[in-house]
Amino acid sequence: MLTFIARRLLHMIPTLFVISIISFILIQLPKGDFFDSLQAELMANDNEASKESLEQQRIKYHLDKPLYQQYLYWVGGFFKGDFGLSLEWQRPVNELIYERLGLTFALAFGSLLFIYVVSIPIGVYSARRPNTVGDHVFTSIGVFGLCIPDFILAIVAMYVVVFWFGGDAGGMFSREQEFAPWTLTKVWDLIKHLPLPVFVVGVGGTAALIRIMRNSMLNCLKEQYITTARAKGLSEGKVVYKYGLRVAINPLISMLGMQFPTLISGSTIVAIVLSLPTMGPMYLRALQTQDMFLAGTFLLFLSTMLLLGNLIADILLALADPRIRLE
């Protein structure tokens, strides 16, 4: 197992190098650069910056150089922990990402936990009682969850929380704790504000995983080893949860690697609607303004999360299924 993990980690190095090249090229594809976007924004507000000053800024940030030199300038700082300077925020990229990384992970991890805690029991229930009223109800809920856009669900959820229950919707902290230093009171305030965004972000993923869990469980319950276990007189609960679920859950573990980066990047619109201080809105703004160092670093970060997520999923699969360890 340790050899497998070490080999996968070594394979990630050239993969990340290739991804960094592709990310940098993708950021550079739109016409112009950050200072062209800045000039257009200033002109829209009846302001104008001189071409000389903008050209000086391009030279300062090496944007006048060929594309490969700009890439080498960006990548060269990685070994020192320097991911460049955000052109819009005028701050180091690693500081900006670090400030929002904790809240982003809290939302993504909470949503992931919600998805799996809800989808696995419902999928098992539907598989054990196919074509019953309960199965049809959960299937309908799943279709509804897949169809409704996240931002619409966010607006509806905000309305229900505010006008039906008189609660506080929007943001991840109350006004008193938003800029306060981290204390146990602020942590508790964060926990109280997490359920709404976790529910909104997790609904779509939950609906998809319910269908996958149901189909996988149905196939497992038809296998011969399940029939043998029942013939030995084992209880139905032991047959389903010890033998059936252990194999049926493999597709959900495989999807774990893709779910985590998707939750980080896919909650951008929800974060804007709910005013969440996560990385998604900052990434969208970086793309709009062509803040290439910030946007490129974020793309590279998502790719790293995908690779690490797949590695964790492979390890969990090996722990859950002895057949994979034997292979």
Side-chain angles (χ1 to χ4, degrees):
M1 179 66 73
L2 293 178
T3 304
F4 167 75
I5 296 174
R7 186 168 61 248
R8 287 291 300 273
L9 290 174
L10 289 175
H11 288 167
M12 287 173 59
I13 296 175
T15 303
L16 287 175
F17 174 71
V18 174
I19 290 174
S20 68
I21 297 175
I22 297 174
S23 300
F24 194 80
I25 293 175
L26 289 175
I27 297 302
Q28 296 285 353
L29 284 179
K31 187 178 180 180
D33 55 26
F34 171 79
F35 296 104
D36 291 321
S37 301
L38 178 62
Q39 176 68 21
E41 188 173 336
L42 291 174
M43 292 180 64
N45 295 323
D46 297 327
N47 295 321
E48 189 173 354
S50 65
K51 293 183 179 180
E52 292 78 10
S53 63
L54 291 178
E55 191 61 32
Q56 290 176 0
Q57 292 296 316
R58 286 192 178 92
I59 296 173
K60 178 181 178 181
Y61 295 108
H62 308 279
L63 299 185
D64 60 322
K65 299 290 193 299
L67 186 61
Y68 75 92
Q69 292 186 9
Q70 296 182 38
Y71 170 76
L72 292 176
Y73 167 74
W74 179 52
V75 172
F78 286 5
F79 303 99
K80 301 179 293 184
D82 180 14
F83 294 93
L85 189 73
S86 171
L87 302 178
E88 180 179 15
W89 294 79
Q90 290 297 300
R91 292 179 58 193
V93 169
N94 52 356
E95 288 185 7
L96 292 173
I97 292 180
Y98 176 75
E99 286 179 355
R100 301 196 176 202
L101 188 61
L103 296 177
T104 304
F105 269 106
L107 177 59
F109 181 77
S111 302
L112 196 66
L113 188 63
F114 172 82
I115 289 172
Y116 279 80
V117 168
V118 173
S119 61
I120 292 176
I122 293 178
V124 172
Y125 173 87
S126 297
R128 293 183 63 185
R129 299 169 178 82
N131 300 320
T132 61
V133 175
D135 181 29
H136 291 310
V137 169
F138 286 127
T139 299
S140 301
I141 294 175
V143 172
F144 175 78
L146 286 172
C147 293
I148 187 171
D150 289 344
F151 68 92
I152 296 294
L153 183 60
I155 295 173
V156 173
M158 289 177 64
Y159 177 87
V160 171
V161 170
V162 173
F163 293 100
W164 288 16
F165 299 101
D168 183 18
M172 300 182 77
F173 301 100
S174 59
R175 293 182 180 179
E176 297 79 10
Q177 297 294 331
E178 186 172 1
F179 300 105
W182 282 100
T183 60
L184 291 178
T185 303
K186 186 169 183 177
V187 172
W188 177 244
D189 189 63
L190 171 64
I191 294 173
K192 290 192 297 183
H193 283 78
L194 270 180
L196 177 62
V198 163
F199 170 77
V200 174
V201 174
V203 163
T206 301
L209 260 66
I210 286 175
R211 304 300 303 163
I212 295 173
M213 187 67 213
R214 179 184 183 276
N215 293 335
S216 179
M217 195 68 184
L218 277 174
N219 292 331
C220 286
L221 292 178
K222 297 176 183 177
E223 295 291 337
Q224 293 183 356
Y225 67 89
I226 295 294
T227 304
T228 303
R230 285 171 173 160
K232 289 182 177 181
L234 298 179
S235 64
E236 186 65 16
K238 191 172 185 178
V239 170
V240 171
Y241 293 104
K242 183 176 181 180
Y243 297 101
L245 181 61
R246 191 172 181 179
V247 177
I249 203 173
N250 285 356
L252 273 70
I253 297 177
S254 300
M255 292 186 65
L256 180 65
M258 297 179 289
Q259 284 279 350
F260 197 67
T262 302
L263 290 173
I264 293 177
S265 61
S267 59
T268 300
I269 304 302
V270 174
I272 294 173
V273 173
L274 296 177
S275 302
L276 305 178
T278 56
M279 294 170 61
M282 181 182 289
Y283 175 52
L284 179 60
R285 176 63 183 174
L287 291 175
Q288 292 173 337
T289 60
Q290 295 180 274
D291 192 346
M292 61 182 205
F293 297 127
L294 181 57
T297 303
F298 192 87
L299 269 177
L300 190 62
F301 171 79
L302 288 179
S303 303
T304 305
M305 289 296 100
L306 179 61
L307 294 175
L308 289 176
N310 284 330
L311 175 61
I312 294 172
D314 289 342
I315 295 173
L316 292 177
L317 275 173
L319 294 175
D321 194 340
R323 297 174 300 177
I324 298 176
R325 294 198 296 270
L326 293 175
E327 293 176 358

